[in-house]
Amino acid sequence: MATDEDAPSQGRRTALKCMLWAGTGVMWTVAGGVPRSVLLGGDGAQAATPGGLSFVQISDSHIGFANPPNTNTPGTLQEAIGRVNAEKGNAALMIHTGDVSHLSRAAQFDTAEQIIKGAGLETHYVPGEHDVLEDDGKPFFARFTKGGPNGWYSFDQQGVHFVGLNNVQDLKAGGLGNLGHEQLEWLEADLKGRSASQPIVVFAHVPLWLVYKDWGWGTDDGAQAVSYLKRFGSVTVLNGHIHQVMQKVEGSVAFHTARSTAFPQPAPGTAPSPGPIKDVPAGQLRALLGVRKVQLVASGKELAVVNDTTLAG
Amino acid sequence: MRLRPAILAGTMACALLTGVRARAEGATVTIDNFAFTPAEITVSPGTTVTWLNRDDIPHTVTDAAEPRAFKSPPLDTNDSFRHAFTTPGTYHYFCSLHPHMQGTVVVR
């Protein structure tokens, strides 16, 4: 968990940590910026009242990766999409928070696109660093972010404002993820004039908050982006990159990272490097991969529900 | 340039056979666990340095200075990259995907 001054209180931090290991069947309710969790099937499941917007997040499909612990990343992406189909309900759309491919190759993009189409949901992508290895990312943007030639864009859906950001290019030696001046100016202008009561969902590949500096898990100018978001009453920031679930709350801004559909990575500092966890016990891989469903309830104080599901459940 | 593993193996075998002279002409930096090893090397002018990626994750070798004197393509597992350093100086480089990975080549 993050250890900076804005980290949640000890009690909440402990609760969050427990959720990290619980793995499946946990529904997150973020009310007024304060998350609480309930087991699926309990009263909380009904709290997600019909009529609100719901959507699905998948991340880090890494098509092209074929090493331990997963030599079949198309297969696990297919399973994830199967899970989405089974549980999507009235989901309006899906977001993919980057690293669609492992090496930015056209065939890898093709494979991912074909499998993801199977969800039958309009899907909005942002690039991961593995997606922009060729020609400054142009092949990715032409295919996956048609509304954003540089990989960033926004749109509205049922009153919720979605902002997709690109923090994986023009990285500096010794630095972290990077948004850059041009994108920050665009973001400030995009949010200007919007009502503070409009729910905002921001999605980007690398966490916008500092998860772990030694492994580069953060965004150098992420705090600048968050400063533009703080006046809004409900902000949900969804990231990928670290292949595990983590949460943090700062005022009305709730940060969440998602599981990968390809392979797990270690908790910060628990391994020599952030590389894939290779020695996953037989049969346990799917408990470490997953998809996420988010529900935004328009009425009352319930602002967002995040339900993480593993492929093993 | 980028070498396939078979070619690299051949190059290394030659280096072993020719002994001292080869060591004077070449140097190798390996990439393991998201780190360049050794992180700093000192070579004489004209030395070709070879980087070998032994991680399961792709990396690059990118000059930190602008304009860049060298930048590798993405190196997949067991791919390598070579660059000849002709001009004395200190060259800081990093991985453009994982910029916390940094290294230095001193040419003198």
Side-chain angles (χ1 to χ4, degrees):
Chain A
M1 301 298 297
T3 54
D4 58 275
E5 291 172 1
D6 296 324
S9 66
Q10 188 59 47
R12 189 187 305 156
R13 184 185 302 159
T14 306
L16 288 170
K17 206 168 181 178
C18 291
M19 290 311 123
L20 265 180
W21 300 109
T24 188
V26 176
M27 174 177 285
W28 279 94
T29 305
V30 181
V34 180
R36 63 186 173 86
S37 62
V38 292
L39 288 175
L40 279 180
D43 292 343
Q46 283 77 47
T49 51
L53 168 67
S54 70
F55 63 96
V56 176
Q57 178 189 8
I58 60 172
S59 197
D60 293 86
S61 39
H62 281 268
I63 299 300
F65 178 89
N67 286 306
N70 188 357
T71 54
N72 183 13
T73 48
T76 48
L77 176 59
Q78 187 72 62
E79 288 179 41
I81 295 303
R83 181 57 61 107
V84 170
N85 266 316
E87 300 183 11
K88 65 185 179 185
N90 62 348
L93 57 91
M94 182 155 70
I95 61 173
H96 190 305
T97 42
D99 283 356
V100 174
S101 73
H102 197 56
L103 285 165
S104 305
R105 296 194 178 140
Q108 297 171 356
F109 290 156
D110 281 342
T111 299
E113 197 172 24
Q114 287 306 314
I115 295 170
I116 290 167
K117 270 182 187 168
L121 290 172
E122 186 183 353
T123 304
H124 303 267
Y125 297 81
V126 285
E129 74 278 7
H130 289 258
D131 298 319
V132 294
L133 296 173
E134 301 294 337
D135 198 14
D136 292 328
K138 290 188 184 76
F140 182 90
F141 304 142
R143 187 190 291 246
F144 293 111
T145 66
K146 291 189 175 72
N150 298 310
W152 64 76
Y153 56 93
S154 67
F155 63 93
D156 287 270
Q157 177 79 34
Q158 290 166 248
V160 176
H161 188 58
F162 285 80
V163 182
L165 298 177
N166 171 0
N167 58 359
V168 298
Q169 287 188 288
D170 196 20
L171 307 185
K172 306 294 188 289
L176 307 169
N178 177 58
L179 293 161
H181 184 66
E182 185 184 351
Q183 186 171 193
L184 284 167
E185 279 201 332
W186 171 85
L187 177 64
E188 187 175 24
D190 181 76
L191 297 172
K192 203 166 192 172
R194 290 186 181 278
S195 163
S197 63
Q198 183 174 24
I200 308 284
V201 173
V202 177
F203 57 111
H205 180 64
V206 178
L208 283 183
W209 49 293
L210 185 59
V211 175
Y212 190 55
K213 189 169 190 299
D214 289 356
W215 286 356
W217 288 357
T219 301
D220 276 329
D221 46 9
Q224 180 82 27
V226 172
S227 74
Y228 302 149
L229 295 162
K230 281 189 169 157
R231 71 179 177 87
F232 292 91
S234 164
V235 181
T236 305
V237 179
L238 302 174
N239 301 122
H241 189 57
I242 69 171
H243 298 212
Q244 59 196 290
V245 173
M246 287 203 182
Q247 286 99 359
K248 172 184 157 130
V249 176
E250 266 186 41
S252 59
V253 185
F255 301 83
H256 305 264
T257 62
R259 288 190 181 88
S260 164
T261 67
F263 57 85
Q265 284 176 252
T270 61
S273 83
I277 299 175
K278 296 177 190 176
D279 54 348
V280 175
Q284 293 299 302
L285 176 63
R286 281 157 183 78
L288 299 168
L289 309 178
V291 300
R292 160 177 292 159
K293 187 173 176 185
V294 182
Q295 186 110 21
L296 293 167
V297 181
S299 59
K301 288 184 177 178
E302 309 280 331
L303 297 177
V305 176
V306 178
N307 170 16
D308 281 295
T309 311
T310 70
L311 299 188
Chain B
M1 68 178 284
R2 188 172 178 181
L3 294 175
R4 301 310 304 173
I7 301 173
L8 180 75
T11 308
M12 285 180 157
C14 289
L16 287 172
L17 290 171
T18 51
V20 175
R21 195 171 62 87
R23 281 207 297 277
E25 289 175 354
T28 298
V29 176
T30 59
I31 304 173
D32 291 287
N33 279 326
F34 288 65
F36 297 105
T37 307
E40 179 173 329
I41 56 168
T42 301
V43 300
S44 52
T47 303
T48 295
V49 177
T50 301
W51 283 266
L52 170 63
N53 180 19
R54 300 198 294 203
D55 266 353
D56 293 338
I57 295 294
H59 298 294
T60 71
V61 177
T62 303
D63 185 5
E66 302 263 7
R68 304 196 196 286
F70 55 95
K71 178 173 182 179
S72 77
L75 305 176
D76 201 358
T77 305
N78 289 328
D79 279 350
S80 65
F81 170 72
R82 299 177 70 187
H83 181 73
F85 289 87
T86 53
T87 310
T90 299
Y91 299 84
H92 297 291
Y93 67 90
F94 69 113
C95 168
S96 60
L97 280 78
H98 312 100
H100 65 286
M101 296 170 56
Q102 299 178 82
T104 304
V105 177
V106 178
V107 182
R108 68 174 179 227

